[in-house]
Amino acid sequence: MNMELVLLGTGHAMVTRCYNTCFVLGGGERYFLVDAGGGNGIMVQTEKAGISFGKIKEMFVTHAHTDHILGAVWAVRKVAALMRQEAYQGEFTVFGHEKAGRLLRMMCEEMLPGKFRAFLDKRIHIAVVEDGEQREFGGMKVTFFDICSGKEKQFGFTALLPDGQRLACLGDEPYHAACRKHVYGCDWMLCEAFCTDADKEIYLPYEKHHSTALDAGKTAEELKVKNLVLYHTEDGCLESRKERYTKEAQVHYRGTVYVPDDLERICL
């Protein structure tokens, strides 16, 4: 199976010219959704990407910030609606740490109609995972880990892909040295870059517990990763974002840099 990474959204919480950062990983008839943005825009993005929710069997919510978890309620609703129509095969599992799982369950129970809630714990599962816990699905072995966030508790993950490549997602905060064992030497690393270093006085990334493209490139080089994907950015320079972020990351990093737009597909 040819695996692909589809960036459904690439922006930070307050963007208006692109969607909040979320993506799908997989191919063929099965995809793994990571975060879902801040609302029902997740349905628009998956539709534009040509990915049916019927093919999304697993989801992971990295943390409980609005731009990552609110869309998860819509994802659950969408899957439940398909199940009611007998248009969804099998079960749907949402992974997350204890707080993310607890909040998602509360929102689903309080906000969704009973006809959709009826699928919770029957065919729709909210599965709490611990730091270092492994799960296997879609031909991948996925390890969830605590990114040691400086603000909101957050998990990232590594995925051992069917062809033996390793992909690491660091969530939307800067790399922490405690995560080195999970990330070092990966073939692919997804990393936030709130802005360029040249614009840090405008966007103040460090005050928000974020980093710059320059920082991300330096981290990727130190960790010896082969491919670096930058996301969770500002949206003030979308027209020149690829060029500017790539050039800055390459000051330190000798691997391949990807600065995707919304809906861009990367073959892994």
Side-chain angles (χ1 to χ4, degrees), residues 2-233:
N2 294 323
M3 298 288 286
E4 65 175 352
L5 174 68
V6 185
L7 277 296
L8 299 175
T10 58
H12 67 60
M14 300 303 290
V15 296
T16 58
R17 300 175 62 216
C18 55
Y19 191 61
N20 303 137
T21 292
C22 55
F23 60 90
V24 289
L25 176 65
E29 295 300 310
R30 188 165 187 153
Y31 285 90
F32 173 39
L33 173 62
V34 179
D35 289 334
N40 71 348
I42 186 62
M43 294 188 291
V44 177
Q45 296 304 97
T46 51
E47 184 175 303
K48 287 181 177 178
I51 297 173
S52 165
F53 257 93
K55 296 182 178 181
I56 299 173
K57 302 301 182 183
E58 290 85 20
M59 180 179 179
F60 174 49
V61 178
T62 59
H63 62 300
H65 281 169
T66 55
D67 57 319
H68 297 264
I69 196 171
L70 292 184
V73 180
W74 288 94
V76 170
R77 177 177 176 143
K78 177 65 175 179
V79 169
L82 291 173
M83 288 177 173
R84 289 192 79 242
Q85 298 163 10
E86 298 185 355
Y88 189 98
Q89 302 299 315
E91 301 184 348
F92 177 61
T93 302
V94 185
F95 300 102
H97 59 63
E98 187 278 330
K99 180 178 179 181
R102 172 167 44 85
L103 288 179
L104 178 58
R105 178 176 291 277
M106 179 190 70
M107 288 189 290
C108 289
E109 291 177 346
E110 295 292 333
M111 299 169 69
L112 296 183
K115 62 185 179 182
F116 298 140
R117 295 198 310 270
F119 290 96
L120 287 175
D121 300 322
K122 294 179 180 177
R123 292 181 62 194
I124 296 177
H125 308 282
I126 298 175
V128 171
V129 292
E130 303 294 335
D131 179 29
E133 186 169 341
Q134 290 188 344
R135 297 291 184 104
E136 292 190 37
F137 50 82
M140 301 181 293
K141 180 180 290 185
V142 176
T143 303
F144 302 101
F145 62 89
D146 192 329
I147 70 166
C148 302
S149 168
K151 43 183 182 180
E152 176 70 25
K153 184 177 180 64
Q154 182 172 172
F155 275 16
F157 72 90
T158 58
L160 180 62
L161 306 182
D163 65 357
Q165 292 190 89
R166 283 199 307 138
L167 177 146
C169 168
L170 293 179
D172 75 353
E173 289 199 25
Y175 163 77
H176 191 286
C179 302
R180 180 182 174 86
K181 65 181 180 180
H182 296 292
V183 182
Y184 185 83
C186 278
D187 298 282
W188 298 86
M189 184 173 79
L190 284 73
C191 181
E192 59 87 26
F194 198 78
C195 63
T196 62
D197 191 75
D199 287 340
K200 65 183 178 184
E201 299 305 320
I202 299 173
Y203 294 106
L204 306 175
Y206 303 134
E207 292 184 10
K208 302 175 179 70
H209 293 270
H210 291 306
S211 57
T212 69
L214 186 71
D215 298 327
K218 185 176 182 180
T219 295
E221 183 64 26
E222 292 173 350
L223 292 172
K224 306 300 181 188
V225 300
K226 296 177 182 178
N227 299 277
L228 173 65
V229 181
L230 300 182
Y231 59 16
H232 204 269
T233 80

